[in-house]
Amino acid sequence: MKVAIVDDDPLVRMGLRAIVGSEDGWDVVGEAGDGVDAVALAERERPDIMLMDVRMPGMDGLTATREIIARGIATRVLVLTTFEVDEYVFDAMRSGASGFVLKRIPPADLIESIRVVALGESLLFPSSTRAVIERFASRGLQRLPELTEREEDVLRALARGRSNGEIAADLFVSVETVKSHVASILMKLGVRDRTQAVIAAYESGFVAPGEVSEA
Amino acid sequence: MKVAIVDDDPLVRMGLRAIVGSEDGWDVVGEAGDGVDAVALAERERPDIMLMDVRMPGMDGLTATREIIARGIATRVLVLTTFEVDEYVFDAMRSGASGFVLKRIPPADLIESIRVVALGESLLFPSSTRAVIERFASRGLQRLPELTEREEDVLRALARGRSNGEIAADLFVSVETVKSHVASILMKLGVRDRTQAVIAAYESGFVAPGEVSEA
DNA sequence: CATCGTCTCCCCCGGGAGGGGGAAGGGTTC
DNA sequence: GAACCCTTCCCCCTCCCGGGGGAGACGATG
């Protein structure tokens, strides 16, 4: 298995090389000290996995990850950072990384993490997982007021960008009915217009990105 | 440490009890076979951690988890299921569970998972982590068209539910300017109205739930 | 049986939103 | 300097949206 190491600190690179090199069948195919070099390295060597630092001079690791993914390179990226900044985690996930661990991870666990990621699975450091779950769960905290069944139907339709007329057609009722439902939704949610209602729907977790049914 | 076991299958409960009981200082304080009993058990015994099955007769495990969290019980819930259904994972995260693992996890890893969750951290099964990351990353895939800096400002304002007039005041420009920006945003995104633009902003990851600045 | 809430439908009305067009100044690029 | 884009502003117009009011039918709840 071909492993690439990206970190601006030569000492860290040496340490990682020592850990990775100790495994049978694992081969460090290159090192890079910044994002630009990392992309070039991935392009040239096509490693199976790349250990990627976040904070680096010039192009950072997350931008480099995005670039590698965008170029269609099959290298899987395991982000390895010193700092436990939640935003790093979310950005890393969005950038297409397959894992996120802190450098203070024990070497044995790092080996295991690399193995998991190389198998096509993904993995997050436990405290990062907590942050991710909390972001998911936090939406439930600012709960929506109690809506009737019909109102929920209408709100779901609103969250799909439907107009009153379209919702009426969808639900086989008149536009006036839809308007009255919308009015009570706006009142219950304490918002001004349908746009704010949709925002409330997203923020409360009533609808979540990615679960929109295009139908 | 007090551990509670919830599963509708007595055999599974016995197996879990055997695994948990083998650890020094861990004590199984109760078992439940459905969600209602699980909530009562949590209320009564206040265990440190509860191993929770999803599919059970009557109240399911995720509903029970939501109920336990809603009652302010400090028990941390580790969801344990046979089926790798992605929706289970997202629902579990939303319900407030601290972890999600499959029953086919090796006993040693389960012990370790319980330990991690008991420490206040969280944890997901590797393939579930992949599903979560993919949902995060998928937003980046359906990227928004290139917007100008000003248009991004306006779209952010739209995603906060601001009207044209409010946006004009925010950005110190006239309403007409805002309208022309909104018009070009709608055209670029290929949507009909501001509501659909906000939906596109959420679905593309341009804005994410929880990062709304109320300012 | 009376009451309440939900769902359905209707009227009028004002204002914001969106579509169409145009135009000026400033910046970059060639 | 010409072409182009971005940003800013203006006009006209249409129409959907949202606010106000009201009302009948149905089921549940008391």
Side-chain angles (χ1 to χ4, degrees):
Chain A
M1 192 172 67
K2 296 192 290 183
V3 183
I5 295 173
V6 182
D7 199 298
D8 61 330
D9 186 340
L11 277 174
V12 173
R13 290 205 301 270
M14 284 178 62
L16 291 175
R17 185 183 272 273
I19 294 173
V20 173
S22 68
E23 285 295 300
D24 276 352
W26 290 14
D27 190 22
V28 177
V29 296
E31 296 182 5
D34 63 63
V36 177
D37 287 355
V39 175
L41 175 59
E43 185 88 67
R44 190 173 65 247
E45 295 290 342
R46 305 277 167 159
D48 296 297
I49 188 167
M50 179 171 267
L51 306 183
M52 180 79 78
D53 191 24
V54 175
R55 284 181 51 158
M56 290 185 295
M59 184 190 289
D60 70 281
L62 301 183
T63 305
T65 301
R66 248 186 302 275
E67 183 61 28
I68 289 170
I69 303 290
R71 294 195 184 189
I73 301 171
T75 295
R76 296 181 66 82
V77 177
L78 177 59
V79 173
L80 199 59
T81 183
T82 307
F83 308 99
E84 184 155 23
V85 184
D86 287 352
E87 251 342 286
Y88 280 6
V89 184
F90 299 121
D91 283 347
M93 291 169 73
R94 273 194 279 267
S95 72
S98 295
F100 185 96
V101 298
L102 299 181
K103 286 180 182 169
R104 61 177 160 85
I105 189 174
D109 287 1
L110 176 59
I111 296 282
E112 187 55 33
S113 301
I114 295 175
R115 208 186 303 278
V116 166
V117 170
L119 282 173
E121 301 300 351
S122 298
L123 154 157
L124 297 174
F125 202 74
S127 53
S128 305
T129 303
R130 182 172 49 75
V132 170
I133 288 185
E134 277 173 2
R135 170 160 291 201
F136 259 79
S138 69
R139 309 182 195 171
L141 293 183
Q142 45 172 124
R143 277 224 178 75
L144 292 183
E146 280 298 313
L147 296 180
T148 69
E149 202 172 329
R150 210 51 167 165
E151 285 163 356
E152 290 191 353
D153 292 340
V154 174
L155 182 53
R156 257 186 295 273
L158 289 178
R160 284 170 43 214
R162 311 288 281 173
S163 71
N164 288 343
E166 289 168 343
I167 298 173
D170 292 347
L171 302 182
F172 304 105
V173 295
S174 77
V175 183
E176 284 73 25
T177 301
V178 175
K179 287 178 68 173
S180 85
H181 286 313
V182 171
S184 64
I185 290 173
L186 297 182
M187 185 166 43
K188 284 185 178 178
L189 301 194
V191 296
R192 184 177 52 200
D193 52 42
R194 61 208 296 108
T195 303
Q196 292 186 348
V198 170
I199 294 171
Y202 272 104
E203 294 299 328
S204 68
F206 179 81
V207 293
E211 74 178 22
V212 278
S213 51
E214 289 298 328
Chain B
M1 192 172 68
K2 296 192 290 183
V3 183
I5 294 172
V6 182
D7 199 299
D8 62 329
D9 186 341
L11 277 174
V12 173
R13 290 205 301 270
M14 284 178 61
L16 291 175
R17 185 182 272 274
I19 293 173
V20 172
S22 69
E23 285 293 301
D24 276 353
W26 289 14
D27 191 22
V28 177
V29 297
E31 297 182 4
D34 64 65
V36 177
D37 288 354
V39 175
L41 176 59
E43 186 89 67
R44 190 173 68 246
E45 296 289 343
R46 304 276 167 160
D48 297 297
I49 189 168
M50 180 171 265
L51 307 184
M52 181 79 78
D53 190 24
V54 175
R55 284 181 51 158
M56 290 185 295
M59 183 189 289
D60 70 280
L62 301 183
T63 305
T65 301
R66 246 186 304 273
E67 182 61 29
I68 289 170
I69 303 289
R71 294 194 184 188
I73 301 172
T75 296
R76 296 180 66 81
V77 177
L78 177 59
V79 173
L80 199 60
T81 182
T82 307
F83 308 99
E84 184 155 22
V85 183
D86 287 352
E87 252 342 286
Y88 280 5
V89 184
F90 299 121
D91 284 347
M93 292 170 73
R94 272 194 280 268
S95 73
S98 295
F100 185 96
V101 298
L102 298 183
K103 286 181 182 167
R104 61 177 161 84
I105 191 175
D109 288 0
L110 176 59
I111 296 282
E112 186 55 32
S113 301
I114 294 175
R115 208 185 303 278
V116 166
V117 169
L119 282 173
E121 302 298 353
S122 299
L123 154 157
L124 297 175
F125 203 72
S127 53
S128 305
T129 303
R130 183 173 48 76
V132 170
I133 288 185
E134 276 173 3
R135 171 163 290 203
F136 259 79
S138 69
R139 308 181 195 171
L141 293 183
Q142 44 172 127
R143 279 227 178 76
L144 293 183
E146 279 298 314
L147 296 179
T148 69
E149 203 172 328
R150 210 52 167 164
E151 286 163 355
E152 291 191 353
D153 292 339
V154 174
L155 181 53
R156 258 185 295 273
L158 289 178
R160 284 171 44 214
R162 311 288 280 171
S163 69
N164 288 343
E166 289 168 343
I167 298 173
D170 293 346
L171 301 182
F172 303 106
V173 295
S174 78
V175 183
E176 284 74 25
T177 301
V178 175
K179 286 179 69 172
S180 86
H181 286 313
V182 170
S184 64
I185 289 174
L186 297 183
M187 187 167 42
K188 284 186 179 178
L189 301 194
V191 297
R192 184 178 52 199
D193 52 42
R194 64 209 294 108
T195 303
Q196 292 186 348
V198 170
I199 294 171
Y202 272 104
E203 294 299 329
S204 68
F206 180 82
V207 293
E211 73 177 23
V212 277
S213 51
E214 288 299 329

